[in-house]
Amino acid sequence: MAKILIADDDPTILSLLNKILLSKGYEVQLAEHGGVAEKLLKSEQFDLLISDIKMEPVDGMQLLKRTRQLRPHVGAIMLTAYATVATAVEAMKEGAFDYIPKPFKIDELLETVKRALEYQKSLSEQIGGDGHIEAKKYFGNIVAESEQMINVCEMIKRVAPTKTTIMISGESGTGKELVAEAVHSFSARSEGPFLPVNCAALPETLIESELFGHTRGAFTGANADKKGLFEAARGGTLFLDEINSIPHSLQSKLLRAIQNKKIRKVGGTEEFDVDVRILAASNRNLENMVKEGTFREDLFYRLSVISIDIPPLKTRPEDVLPLAQHFISHELEPGEEFPAMDNTVLGILQSYSWPGNVRELQNVIQHCLTFLHDGKITKETLPSKLIVSYEENPAAQQKAALTGGFEKGKSLKAFLRAKEKEYLKTVIDTMGGDKVAAAKELDISLATLYRKLPEEEQDS
């Protein structure tokens, strides 16, 4: 059953709402003013907020704004003894589902609560509670809206509990380390260490020592015994990124370590057991390297018991905007307002080829937030290379112009929502712009009308 937070500085109202909602099976938490409610929102999960507008020291509108920042998925119903069109408009613009005048009728209250919960559930399937695209998130940091990435996540869930070695392939910047972290986190070794190493970043003269360790005096400068990564990752997972960079001369020793689970330190004479799971990644086609003779065939097959292939971002444009939102959320300071993004930017982001994949998109978002203007991401905040690419590509401009239109793959729910907005605008125009008359004609409340209208139409 849904969990509801009630904020009101009137103890009588708090007690009454608590009794009513508990009788219907809802889980209820009470807050005697907005400050208490804000603390609860920080520490607990809720499905719905019911708040009085007039409270001290934190009033209902301030609390509503903080709710949108802290818990954007939480629906909100506002209570007021001073119901006016102005308060309704302000509440709706801040994201409230509806408002209820005091004194209220119990049946109307319960019906509004039911509709608010149903609406938030429906909304979460398509967009986030803050009005932005809501990505499907797996394993905390992997964003997957496209079928390709959802399949990757399903593969992770299937292979993570196994003990087998896994090869993760994909272009640079696609997120191979995130996939490796997810495999580790959902494995039986999750309590052990996760040690990533970029093989390409290690000098050829040091890579053997880094992986297997060395004994004192093994070479000039080896003044003490050193533990290698195989040993340091004991009980956990060792992620060998860009394993295609491992020198051919070292590949046989790596193969023995994986096969026999034993290593010998540089300069040492004894082998000892290591308990570690190996995950590897490559940004090059290892099968081609095998054919070229630059990568051992037996090592390739030992590493590729199971393969996870991450598609490039250009082949899954439906992931671009959810990823952008994900990166924006991570860049914002606590309480900082989520920036708007105009349609031209949306089109440019979706039409760009992303040669640097997800890492490049993250860098672009950081650039946009650095040059943010009036709290909005516009074309001017984008890096120049995206703008040039867009302006030199008529097909991209056409695609950008169509952003927000009815494209292939658009859900029925999204289509109906768009048609509903078109009909609302037609009725309002018929009523000469009078929204109160339009609401009566449509047989809906004024609050519902404002909730359904696009934001740019609410002030007109």
Side-chain angles (χ1 to χ4, degrees), residues 170-187:
E171 295 178 1
S172 294
T174 50
K176 295 185 288 294
E177 186 171 334
L178 281 180
V179 170
E181 286 178 352
V183 170
H184 171 73
S185 297
F186 283 79
S187 73

Side-chain angles (χ1 to χ4, degrees), residues 290-392:
V290 169
K291 293 175 182 177
E292 296 166 358
T294 55
F295 201 87
R296 289 181 63 112
E297 185 176 22
D298 47 5
L299 177 57
F300 168 72
Y301 285 115
R302 172 58 65 177
L303 291 169
S304 304
V305 177
I306 294 177
S307 297
I308 298 178
D309 299 318
I310 309 176
L313 186 56
K314 65 184 177 183
T315 67
R316 45 189 177 96
E318 57 269 55
D319 285 334
V320 171
L321 299 185
L323 278 165
Q325 178 195 323
H326 176 71
F327 292 136
I328 291 171
S329 299
H330 277 259
E331 290 293 328
L332 296 180
E333 297 295 330
E336 193 173 356
E337 187 175 354
F338 205 103
M341 185 181 293
D342 68 30
N343 284 337
T344 301
V345 172
L346 296 179
I348 292 174
L349 294 182
Q350 286 190 308
S351 61
Y352 185 61
S353 60
W354 300 110
N357 290 293
V358 177
R359 187 182 296 122
E360 183 180 12
L361 173 58
Q362 184 175 16
N363 293 339
V364 166
I365 292 302
Q366 290 172 343
H367 185 282
C368 289
L369 294 178
T370 300
F371 295 97
L372 204 63
H373 182 66
D374 293 334
K376 192 170 185 178
I377 296 176
T378 64
K379 179 181 173 182
E380 289 69 30
T381 65
L382 290 168
S384 58
K385 61 181 178 180
L386 267 74
I387 299 174
V388 170
S389 173
Y390 169 73
E391 291 178 344
E392 293 180 349

Side-chain angles (χ1 to χ4, degrees), residues 44 71 81 155 166 205 234 280 309 343 352 376 413 446:
E44 298 183 35
R71 305 286 186 187
M155 176 66 81
I166 297 173
T205 54
R234 185 185 300 273
D309 299 318
N343 284 337
Y352 185 61
K376 192 170 185 178
K413 192 172 293 183
L446 182 62

Side-chain angles (χ1 to χ4, degrees), residues 94-157:
E94 290 298 334
F97 172 80
D98 211 337
Y99 77 97
I100 299 176
K102 293 180 180 178
F104 53 81
K105 296 179 181 179
I106 294 177
D107 289 344
E108 290 180 358
L109 170 73
L110 291 173
E111 179 60 27
T112 304
V113 167
K114 180 182 177 182
R115 286 190 296 108
L117 291 169
E118 289 175 347
Y119 177 74
Q120 288 303 126
K121 182 179 179 181
S122 172
L123 191 63
S124 65
E125 296 174 4
Q126 293 280 335
I127 60 174
D130 60 354
H132 297 279
I133 297 168
E134 180 67 19
K136 296 182 178 72
K137 296 185 180 65
Y138 295 79
F139 313 113
N141 286 317
I142 297 180
V143 174
E145 188 72 31
S146 66
E147 184 177 352
Q148 299 102 303
M149 282 307 295
I150 290 173
N151 289 339
V152 168
C153 293
E154 290 299 321
M155 176 66 81
I156 292 171
K157 286 193 285 187

Side-chain angles (χ1 to χ4, degrees), residues 176-244:
K176 295 185 288 294
E177 186 171 334
L178 281 180
V179 170
E181 286 178 352
V183 170
H184 171 73
S185 297
F186 283 79
S187 73
R189 296 174 173 268
S190 59
E191 298 299 319
F194 173 78
L195 295 184
V197 54
N198 186 339
C199 300
L202 295 174
E204 187 172 339
T205 54
L206 293 178
I207 190 167
E208 183 176 1
S209 172
E210 287 295 318
L211 290 176
F212 304 118
H214 63 250
T215 61
R216 181 182 179 185
F219 49 82
T220 303
N223 300 320
D225 288 355
K226 178 184 176 180
K227 183 186 294 186
L229 292 169
F230 267 83
E231 190 177 358
R234 185 185 300 273
T237 303
L238 178 60
F239 173 51
L240 302 175
D241 195 8
E242 296 197 42
I243 198 167
N244 49 283

